[in-house]
Each structure stands twice: as C-alpha cells, then as structure tokens.
C-alpha cells in the first residue's frame, strides 16, 4: 500500500510538472542591458529541487516568469552529489532551496514563498 501511494504521488507530481511546462507564463521583458545584468546576477544562484515537488514546480515557474537563468540542481537522488552538498553545507535536505553566493559567502534559502519574494525583489 505504501509503495502504491508513493507511485501515485510521484506520478501525479510528474503530471503537474509537465502541465506546468505546457502552460505559458507571462515573462518579464527587459532591454538587452537589463537582461544581461539580471543574467549576470543570477549566475550566483542555484535552485536545489526535486523534479515533481509542487513547491519546486512553483519556484521554477517564478524563475521562468522573471525571465532569469538559474541553474537547477537535482537533490532528489539519495547519495547524489547535490543532495549530499546540501546536507553537508546547509545542514538539511529540504526543497526548494536557493543557494546564493555573494562575495564568497554562501547562504541557503528555504520555503517556496520566501524564495518567490526574494526573486521578485531582486529580479522583478
């Protein structure tokens, strides 16, 4: 029964992720210089996520709406490099999570609502 529920949850998550990719978003439009500045600033941000997690899907959708290029890291695979990095450096595995590197200092940001607010403030 537990395995069946897990399979159902994962299948539903994949379906939601695919539907989310098919539904268009209204992207922020910037002039060339502003887009270049946004892309440059986004180079210091990584999103640690699970593909089918609804909160991660929401975070990826915000990134698409804000028209920024943020690298995503798959933290789902047990024993995977990004999951282990998050556990070692941030102290826990919780997604979505932004890894923000500024002036050589790394900070980790959890909670999709907090991530959304941060990204909208920085790139909106």
């Amino acid at each position: 029964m537990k395995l069946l529920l897990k399979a159902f949850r994962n299948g539903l998550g994949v379906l939601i992720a695919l539907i989310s990719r098919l539904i268009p978003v209204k992207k922020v439009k910037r002039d060339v210089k502003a887009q270049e500045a946004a892309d440059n600033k986004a180079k210091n941000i990584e999103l640690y996520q699970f593909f089918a997690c609804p909160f991660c899907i929401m975070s990826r959708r915000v990134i698409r709406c804000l028209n920024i290029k943020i690298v995503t890291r798959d933290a789902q695979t047990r024993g995977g490099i990004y999951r282990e990095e998050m556990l070692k450096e941030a102290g826990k595995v919780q997604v979505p999570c932004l890894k923000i590197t500024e002036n050589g200092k790394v900070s980790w940001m959890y909670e999709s609502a907090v991530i959304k607010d941060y990204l909208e403030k920085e790139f909106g």
Side-chain angles (χ1 to χ4, degrees), residues 2 6 9 50 74-84 87 93:
K2 187 176 178 182
K6 184 176 181 178
R9 186 182 71 219
F50 296 173
D74 176 16
Q76 191 161 357
T77 307
R78 293 195 186 276
I81 185 170
Y82 299 114
R83 184 183 186 100
E84 294 303 315
L87 184 59
V93 175

Side-chain angles (χ1 to χ4, degrees), residues 1 8-9 14 16 21 27 30 38 45-46 65 68 74 77-78 80 82 86 89 105-106 109 121:
M1 185 64 157
F8 177 74
R9 186 182 71 219
V14 168
I16 292 169
R21 287 299 292 174
K27 291 185 177 185
R30 301 180 185 90
I45 302 173
E46 300 169 57
C65 287
I68 49 179
D74 176 16
T77 307
R78 293 195 186 276
Y82 299 114
M86 185 190 308
E89 293 184 23
K105 183 182 174 210
V106 175
M109 182 180 294
K121 179 180 162 240

Side-chain angles (χ1 to χ4, degrees), residues 27-38:
K27 291 185 177 185
V28 170
K29 295 190 189 310
R30 301 180 185 90
D31 64 37
V32 174
K33 271 195 162 178
Q35 185 64 49
E36 192 175 283

Side-chain angles (χ1 to χ4, degrees), residues 1 4 23 28 33 37 40 53 58-59 62 70-71 81 85 90 94 99 106:
M1 185 64 157
L4 183 62
I23 297 172
V28 170
K33 271 195 162 178
N40 193 43
C53 163
M58 185 181 87
S59 297
V62 168
I70 292 180
V71 173
I81 185 170
E85 177 184 358
Q94 178 183 329
K99 178 183 177 184
V106 175

Side-chain angles (χ1 to χ4, degrees), residues 62-120:
V62 168
I63 290 167
R64 283 182 33 220
C65 287
L66 292 172
N67 198 17
I68 49 179
K69 296 177 181 95
I70 292 180
V71 173
T72 57
R73 303 292 190 201
D74 176 16
Q76 191 161 357
T77 307
R78 293 195 186 276
I81 185 170
Y82 299 114
R83 184 183 186 100
E84 294 303 315
E85 177 184 358
M86 185 190 308
L87 184 59
K88 181 181 174 188
E89 293 184 23
K92 63 181 176 178
V93 175
Q94 178 183 329
V95 294
C97 179
L98 281 187
K99 178 183 177 184
I100 305 164
T101 307
E102 291 178 307
N103 302 321
K105 183 182 174 210
V106 175
S107 59
W108 297 83
M109 182 180 294
Y110 297 98
E111 301 297 333
S112 56
V114 174
I115 291 169
K116 178 181 185 280
D117 290 345
Y118 169 80
L119 292 174
E120 287 177 344

